[in-house]
Amino acid sequence: MLLSVVIPLLNEEENIPLLYDELVEVLSTLEEGYEIIFIDDGSTDKSLQFLKEIQEKDSHIVVVSFRKNFGQTAAMAAGFDYAKGDIIITMDADLQNDPHDIPKLLEQVAAGNDVVTGWRYDRKDAFINRRLPSIIANKIISKTTGVCIHDYGCTLKAFKKEVVKNIKLYGEMHRFIPAIASGMGIDFTEVKVNHRPRRFGTSKYGISRTIRVILDLITVKFLLSYATRPIQVFGFMGVVSGGIGFLIALIMTLQRQFMGTPLADRPLLLLAVVLVFIGIQFITLGLIAELQARTYHESQNKPVYHVKDVFGAEGRSARE
Ligand code: UDP
Ligand code: MG
């Protein structure tokens, strides 16, 4: 068993030596072998220099250095690409996550969970601009995706290899991995973890993250529910809109034809025309999305299903 700890970081020079010491202290007591993958997300301070120094002394360390700042999600994706482990742990580099929680996560993975997420039940961040938006966001995300987790934002998570290797990450999407993975039918659980205040450096995010997270939530919801059948969303809206428009137009035509009501001063006519147009647009959009969905799945050889086990089909592979 090999463990990969994936740590994206941006300008965390003061935290790196302390984090490294704490990690080694915990990881060296484990039975599993380990590697620590630091992804330097375009730091402009001495972070990279410190990482290289550590890497030269310790062969457990891998350092991936980005050309520029691509964001925490991209950094995490790079970590997943480079990771060799059977279990992958993600965490922040700012010492807010406690490496001593790692064994607790591993226990839950050993118990059969594919994803184990940390829950910062006693979170040490400001209330108004951090914890409150987070509480609301977690409620909304849990409701929309149907995957109920108290703390989507906690980076400290453990994944079985199959989970992260099958997921492509965009935007601010790393927090949604459990929700995206739920589409594969995974088992997951939560573990209460320690959270510490930031001692060095500054937070890289402000309140504007909330908006980006909500936008990504819409994407995730769409991917989860309709990515393989987009015509059913767009087509439905198109049929409703076009149907209402057609009905209004029909009534007005009948009134004009049989009751002699003039059409000239009726704004409703405009509405009817617009609704019919929108309806047609939605349906064609749905058809284009259907084409896209096929390209998306077939070009990447992505199955529309995920198999856990197969019995009695030795030597066969569905992917050939
Ligand atoms: N981070 C990163 N790239 C970015 C922004 C942040 O790699 O563009 C890292 C950062 O160094 C830290 C983690 O992501 O290790 C979480 O960031 P931060 O502590 O600022 O977020 P907060 O805890 O305030 O939500
Ligand atoms: Mg932090």
Side-chain angles (χ1 to χ4, degrees), residues 14-32:
E14 298 100 326
N15 293 311
I16 290 169
L18 296 166
L19 174 68
Y20 171 69
D21 290 344
E22 261 193 72
L23 270 170
V24 171
E25 182 195 321
V26 175
L27 295 174
S28 56
T29 61
L30 297 175
E31 278 172 30
E32 294 91 348

Side-chain angles (χ1 to χ4, degrees), residues 29-48:
T29 61
L30 297 175
E31 278 172 30
E32 294 91 348
Y34 69 90
E35 61 176 3
I36 307 174
I37 304 180
F38 288 102
I39 301 93
D40 173 35
D41 186 12
S43 297
T44 49
D45 64 359
K46 293 206 180 70
S47 296
L48 182 60

Side-chain angles (χ1 to χ4, degrees), residues 289-306:
E290 284 283 326
L291 283 181
Q292 282 279 355
R294 282 160 181 68
T295 315
Y296 171 75
H297 281 92
E298 286 162 23
S299 63
Q300 301 177 62
N301 210 0
K302 248 179 176 330
V304 289
Y305 55 82
H306 293 275

Side-chain angles (χ1 to χ4, degrees), residues 41-206:
D41 186 12
S43 297
T44 49
D45 64 359
K46 293 206 180 70
S47 296
L48 182 60
Q49 185 189 325
F50 290 171
L51 289 175
K52 277 188 188 150
E53 281 167 19
I54 296 173
Q55 198 279 326
E56 268 158 31
K57 279 184 253 152
D58 185 345
S59 60
H60 290 106
I61 307 295
V62 176
V63 179
V64 179
S65 161
F66 278 2
R67 285 185 187 276
K68 70 177 211 25
N69 177 250
F70 286 99
Q72 194 185 351
T73 300
M76 219 170 261
F80 295 156
D81 288 342
Y82 280 90
K84 281 199 173 145
D86 308 290
I87 299 170
I88 291 161
I89 308 238
T90 55
M91 64 184 292
D92 284 344
D94 57 357
L95 297 169
Q96 290 199 270
N97 294 135
D98 188 344
H100 294 91
D101 287 317
I102 291 177
K104 268 199 271 181
L105 298 185
L106 292 177
E107 250 169 54
Q108 290 302 323
V109 176
N113 291 292
D114 304 298
V115 176
V116 183
T117 63
W119 169 13
R120 301 166 291 181
Y121 66 103
D122 185 14
R123 188 170 164 186
K124 301 286 193 307
D125 280 322
F127 183 74
I128 290 293
N129 63 347
R130 306 311 289 271
R131 269 156 50 213
L132 184 65
S134 152
I135 292 169
I136 299 169
N138 282 313
K139 285 255 156 62
I140 299 177
I141 298 170
S142 296
K143 259 256 162 338
T144 347
T145 61
V147 179
C148 293
I149 292 178
H150 288 94
D151 190 5
Y152 268 93
C154 180
T155 315
L156 186 56
K157 296 189 174 96
F159 306 95
K160 282 201 186 139
K161 175 176 73 185
E162 309 86 89
V163 175
V164 295
K165 296 280 182 193
N166 276 313
I167 289 179
K168 288 258 179 292
L169 296 175
Y170 302 92
E172 283 291 304
M173 242 162 240
H174 64 267
R175 69 188 58 242
F176 293 117
I177 299 174
I180 301 172
S182 78
M184 295 164 57
I186 51 136
D187 296 317
F188 68 92
T189 190
E190 275 182 302
V191 170
K192 286 186 182 176
V193 295
N194 191 11
H195 193 245
R196 307 179 288 196
R198 200 186 238 282
R199 275 157 62 207
F200 308 105
T202 49
S203 172
K204 310 298 180 291
Y205 299 104

Side-chain angles (χ1 to χ4, degrees), residues 146-310:
V147 179
C148 293
I149 292 178
H150 288 94
D151 190 5
Y152 268 93
C154 180
T155 315
L156 186 56
K157 296 189 174 96
F159 306 95
K160 282 201 186 139
K161 175 176 73 185
E162 309 86 89
V163 175
V164 295
K165 296 280 182 193
N166 276 313
I167 289 179
K168 288 258 179 292
L169 296 175
Y170 302 92
E172 283 291 304
M173 242 162 240
H174 64 267
R175 69 188 58 242
F176 293 117
I177 299 174
I180 301 172
S182 78
M184 295 164 57
I186 51 136
D187 296 317
F188 68 92
T189 190
E190 275 182 302
V191 170
K192 286 186 182 176
V193 295
N194 191 11
H195 193 245
R196 307 179 288 196
R198 200 186 238 282
R199 275 157 62 207
F200 308 105
T202 49
S203 172
K204 310 298 180 291
Y205 299 104
I207 189 91
S208 71
R209 175 164 64 183
T210 320
I211 299 166
R212 288 186 277 152
V213 167
I214 295 299
L215 289 174
D216 278 347
L217 172 63
I218 298 174
T219 316
V220 169
K221 171 68 186 168
F222 181 76
L223 288 177
L224 272 180
S225 322
Y226 302 110
T228 52
R229 45 194 180 108
I231 188 81
Q232 295 184 12
V233 195
F234 295 118
F236 180 78
M237 294 195 279
V239 168
V240 170
S241 163
I244 295 173
F246 178 76
L247 261 180
I248 297 175
L250 183 70
I251 292 167
M252 291 176 80
T253 310
L254 293 178
Q255 286 177 334
R256 169 75 187 77
Q257 218 40 45
F258 300 109
M259 299 183 210
T261 324
L263 278 178
D265 61 345
R266 304 192 69 184
L268 208 55
L269 181 63
L270 196 62
L271 180 69
V273 173
V274 168
L275 284 177
V276 170
F277 265 109
I278 293 177
I280 295 169
Q281 294 253 331
F282 266 133
I283 293 173
T284 44
L285 189 65
L287 288 172
I288 292 174
E290 284 283 326
L291 283 181
Q292 282 279 355
R294 282 160 181 68
T295 315
Y296 171 75
H297 281 92
E298 286 162 23
S299 63
Q300 301 177 62
N301 210 0
K302 248 179 176 330
V304 289
Y305 55 82
H306 293 275
V307 175
K308 192 172 183 185
D309 279 315
V310 181

